[in-house]
Amino acid sequence: MDRSSPVPLYFQLAQQLEAAIENGKLAPGSLLGNEIELAGRLGLSRPTVRQAIQSLVDKGLLVRRRGIGTQVVHSQVKRPLELSSLYDDLEAAGQKPATRVLRNVITQADAEIAAALGIAEGAEVVLVERLRLAHGEPVAHLRNHIPAGLLELETARLEETGLYRMMRSAGITLHSARQAVGARAATAEEAARLDEPEGAPLLTMERTTFDDTGRAVEFGSHVYRASRYAFEFQLLVRP
């Protein structure tokens, strides 16, 4: 702690604890100990420690459990808006990604999918539906439509790695994407799948990705738990 800094000590402590949660040093389920122990170990007052813990409780990173103590719940995934896969972003953040493939089937493109991929309505596409987890907890429900014949999409491989890695391994060079981000309330089915209460806020994203020839190679329609996930924007002033 930098006691000479104008930044309040409780805020410094909260930042350090949040960083430890995000980089995995404090894993979900970890116990922090009680306020008296923490205050003594860190040389801080009990009110300072209490305020730091409360700020992380308010963020949903910690929870106070009667008879157990203060426990790490999870960290929020903060994903930059760039052409990267959720799997790679989770792995880079030390979030221990895992994938559960719910569907991997051949289907026909409806009007929306056909328009996004630039193919004829009714053309064959591969529908891949996955549940993405971090530290064993669901983070997102992912639906991707890929033109049939573009690459082999084995279910076992999809559960081991990310879709974009598979595309790169197949020689597909990802170049750009068109993306829209939104928000809405979770349906009963989505809530059960993502371990959220019905009506909980969800972030939504639709993305069409193009290779270096301008060909559309996938259309994704994803929902994310707002309690576990955030998009980060970098805003620049136009010259």
Side-chain angles (χ1 to χ4, degrees), residues 152-193:
E152 291 292 327
L153 289 168
E154 297 178 357
T155 296
R157 182 65 176 147
L158 283 164
E159 291 189 336
E160 294 175 351
T161 190
L163 176 61
Y164 282 5
R165 283 190 188 179
M166 292 180 67
M167 287 186 170
R168 293 187 183 102
S169 296
I172 298 168
T173 302
L174 304 177
H175 179 265
S176 60
R178 184 170 60 245
Q179 180 169 287
V181 176
R184 59 176 172 79
T187 65
E189 182 181 1
E190 289 169 335
R193 184 184 289 126

Side-chain angles (χ1 to χ4, degrees), residues 108-120 125 143 145-146 219 221:
Q108 292 183 324
D110 61 19
E112 180 187 16
I113 303 304
L117 293 176
I119 58 178
V125 292
R143 285 170 54 90
H145 288 84
I146 300 100
F219 173 69
S221 181

Side-chain angles (χ1 to χ4, degrees), residues 61-129:
L61 300 179
L62 300 177
V63 65
R64 289 188 172 101
R65 301 191 189 280
R66 187 181 299 275
I68 297 177
T70 303
Q71 193 171 26
V72 177
V73 182
H74 49 62
S75 60
Q76 187 181 53
V77 180
K78 295 181 179 178
R79 185 180 183 188
L81 276 181
E82 57 187 35
L83 188 50
S84 61
S85 74
L86 176 57
Y87 189 96
D88 290 344
D89 291 338
L90 289 172
E91 191 172 66
Q95 293 281 335
K96 298 180 182 178
T99 304
R100 193 176 302 154
V101 176
L102 307 178
R103 279 200 293 174
N104 181 10
V105 298
I106 298 289
T107 186
Q108 292 183 324
D110 61 19
E112 180 187 16
I113 303 304
L117 293 176
I119 58 178
E121 187 173 349
E124 287 192 343
V125 292
V126 180
L127 167 61
V128 175
E129 188 174 353

Side-chain angles (χ1 to χ4, degrees), residues 15 18 22 26 36 41 44 46 48 52 71 78 89 95 113 124 132 142 163 166 174-175 191 234 237:
Q15 284 186 313
E18 184 171 356
E22 291 199 353
L26 284 174
I36 297 175
R41 191 163 72 241
L44 298 171
R46 188 175 176 184
T48 295
Q71 193 171 26
K78 295 181 179 178
D89 291 338
Q95 293 281 335
I113 303 304
E124 287 192 343
R132 181 60 45 76
L142 314 174
L163 176 61
M166 292 180 67
L174 304 177
H175 179 265
Q234 182 176 19
V237 176

Side-chain angles (χ1 to χ4, degrees), residues 52-64:
I53 288 174
Q54 186 59 50
S55 69
L56 297 183
V57 169
D58 293 342
K59 282 187 172 185
L61 300 179
L62 300 177
V63 65
R64 289 188 172 101

Side-chain angles (χ1 to χ4, degrees), residues 210-221:
F210 304 90
D211 67 8
D212 56 350
T213 70
R215 172 184 56 169
V217 293
E218 66 102 7
F219 173 69
S221 181

